[in-house]
Amino acid sequence: MASPGSIDSLIFEEGAPVKATETNSRVSDYFGRLTFSGDVMLKRLPPDVAMSLAGTIMKGHPLDPMVANTVAGAMKDWAIDNGATHFCHWFHPLTGSTAEKHDAFLSVNGDGVAIEKFSGNALIVGEPDASSFPSGGIRDTYEARGYTAWDANSPAFLLTTTHGVTTLCIPTAFASYTGEALDMKTPLIRSVQAVVKQATRILRIFGTDTGVNQVFGTLGCEQEYFLIDQGLFQERLDLVICGRTLIGATPPKGHQLDDHYFGAIPSRVLSYMAEAERRLFELGIPVKTRHNEVAPGQYELAPTFERTNVAADHQMLTMHVLKDVARKHGFECLIHEKPFAGINGSGKHNNWSLSTDTGTNLLNPTVDTHTNLQFLVFLCAVIRAVDTHAELLRASIASAGNDHRLGANEAPPAIMSVFLGEMLTDIINQLEAGKPRKTVKGGTLDLHADSLSDVPRHAGDRNRTSPFAFTGNKFEFRAVGSTASVAWPTTVLNTMVAESLDFMASSLEKMVGKKPTPAKIESSVRSLLKEVVKKHRRVCFDGDGYSDEWTKEAAKRGLPNICNAADSLPIFKSRIATSLFSKYGVLSARELKARGEVLLEQYCTNLEIEGRTLSTIIRTQVLPASLRAQAELADVVGATQVAGVECPDTEADLRALVGQISKLRTGILEVEAALTSNTHDPEKYAKWLRSELVPAMTRTRDASDWIESRISAELWPMPTYAQMLLVGR
């Protein structure tokens, strides 16, 4: 099998048109057949052009303009052979989703003759409207010109809807007329470039750069999601508009019994998963695992790792395919971080590492880790980065949706900390004390049953409460929200680590001098690692991240605990952030300021939409149903009293209902009042909504949920949690 990232791993058997896929085919027979890469590329292009493009894809070389027309022509023919009539430049604007403008291959000349055309220029550069996407003030409404530029490192692909419409999609970066990045892809690519440059310096110090042509970032992104019946979804205005339920009484059974996690996948759900996976396989997305998650109706899939920019594209495609295929099976796929209150929410775990084109994972500790000084330099650089830039890392995953899960039982806390495990913790203890002399071994686990083999045991446990955990040969950033584009938190992480590797490399270059010896390198590395561990190990924590004790301990250590996005996002306007991103060429001061404005605006807008949706639901559905219930109960009380029978319990029920309806009215007035702030300052407005609107919505919800749990089911105007969470059963 080809190693991930090798040229051989791009070679697949060219498939037939889209509709010809057989469900009983081997996945290896059609994996990646809808991407213009590997064997598809080799068969469609002249050998020299194919190798030039392969060099662009695998080695990060710029595309040779001389071959662009040839590539475009072959790509067009391949797309048409597979049923496509249009192409588009597919990009990641600052909306958090993807964008595409379709253009037909068809061209009609002056004589009325029709022909399909696709030029190299149309492949490489596009011109969408740059004024209608979020820009944070970079573009005014009248300044419309923008550009998309082909990211040839990420293969073009054919995207087919469930209704059979196929489009050739060209992954691109998106920039303004004045050259500023208006997307997620451009800074991601710049950040990879920054961290790779600094990582290469570390390899050069150790003399391990021989034969290495390229260092690259890798990423594997797990995705959690919910499925509910589409008919029930359509009856919930909050789900349709906001992606989450704004009201809903706790069902009798949630995930208390832990019986859904890893349980047998319901047949209807498995059918959906199989089709979604088939489409993902065709797009070259290496999906590896699928399983039930903790909550009823919640599921997860996870791919193997890929190069960072490709993984970011594939993650956006994954969310698209999950939602598209769900509707074909009568489901709605909910990606929101907290679709249902009181039960497990959803996130995505970003498994991040650095590798070389020679197959070396730079975060692989190897067997005798205490002797692997190069690995320890990379490890301590990451620890230093998380400690030094904890507020930035926290802000990279800040959103209105993620505010609902961070710190709850299914997600890491808002305190950024690093889990290392027993073996690495022991080694950094040794580093701080002096020269490390041993590596803790995991050994084997004896299950004390003759028919069961001993189990090889890792040298350290795993910790699901850690937001940033070392998991063997990578770091798992577990705090990313399920709706998020992975490009932005990865951009922030890459930039932080680039700065830290720069610090390590500069320190070591100064310490070892111009003519370093192995002994000098070793002593210098040990000295630097001791200093870094002593200063930054406060961010390392292997215990229960959910506990109150950790919150108190983190405060003693001086670690920031920023509990909501309104307080977290302004860090992107700070001088520290501006200096960091501009120094490593990831985002200019203007670009970063704009990005901060966009993130604050999105936070505020999402809360505004939720507040207005809640007002609509309460006034048009919940309140009328509540008043009907009140009238019916009042009739019962009146009729009972006329009959001369005492009914103190029923009277108490009526008084309680009237009281909750009063709270409902008061709550919705508070919600509507909170939406009328006069401030025009984005930071102040975000904090206003957080302090005024969010609590008002919670109070309104409490009253509504109380009423829902006590009035007749026939009167309740929308599907309940109990109904929605029974999907596939």
Side-chain angles (χ1 to χ4, degrees), residues 622-644:
V622 176
L623 191 54
S626 302
L627 292 174
R628 284 195 294 271
Q630 177 183 315
E632 288 184 3
L633 194 54
D635 287 344
V636 171
V637 171
T640 305
Q641 290 174 340
V642 167

Side-chain angles (χ1 to χ4, degrees), residues 53 113 566:
L53 183 56
V113 177

Side-chain angles (χ1 to χ4, degrees), residues 568-586:
S568 183
L569 289 173
I571 187 66
F572 290 123
K573 295 184 178 182
S574 69
R575 185 176 301 174
I576 292 174
T578 301
S579 175
L580 176 69
F581 283 93
S582 60
K583 178 179 180 179
Y584 295 96
V586 177

Side-chain angles (χ1 to χ4, degrees), residues 214 332 366 503:
Q214 188 184 18
E332 189 68 29
T366 67
F503 168 83

Side-chain angles (χ1 to χ4, degrees), residues 45-72:
L45 293 171
D48 58 332
V49 175
M51 294 311 296
S52 175
L53 183 56
T56 295
I57 294 172
M58 298 309 307
K59 299 179 181 179
H61 296 165
L63 181 69
D64 183 353
M66 301 298 291
V67 307
N69 281 327
T70 304
V71 173

Side-chain angles (χ1 to χ4, degrees), residues 599-674:
L599 291 169
L600 279 169
E601 181 183 6
Q602 288 174 340
Y603 174 82
C604 294
T605 302
N606 281 329
L607 287 182
E608 287 176 340
I609 291 170
E610 289 188 353
R612 294 193 178 101
T613 303
L614 181 61
S615 175
T616 299
I617 290 173
I618 297 299
R619 290 194 177 279
T620 63
Q621 294 181 279
V622 176
L623 191 54
S626 302
L627 292 174
R628 284 195 294 271
Q630 177 183 315
E632 288 184 3
L633 194 54
D635 287 344
V636 171
V637 171
T640 305
Q641 290 174 340
V642 167
V645 178
E646 295 294 329
C647 55
D649 291 342
T650 308
E651 290 174 8
D653 289 344
L654 178 59
R655 283 193 296 271
L657 179 58
V658 170
Q660 291 298 325
I661 291 174
S662 177
K663 290 181 180 179
L664 192 67
R665 292 181 186 276
T666 300
I668 209 60
L669 289 173
E670 291 174 344
V671 167
E672 292 163 351

Side-chain angles (χ1 to χ4, degrees), residues 19 159-166 272 275-276 278-279 320-329:
K19 297 179 182 179
L159 190 60
T160 304
T161 69
T162 54
H163 298 288
V165 178
T166 301
Y272 155 74
E275 181 169 352
R278 178 184 61 77
R279 286 186 56 183
H320 171 87
V321 168
L322 286 174
K323 295 182 77 69
D324 192 39
V325 175
R327 293 171 187 134
K328 179 179 176 182
H329 288 257

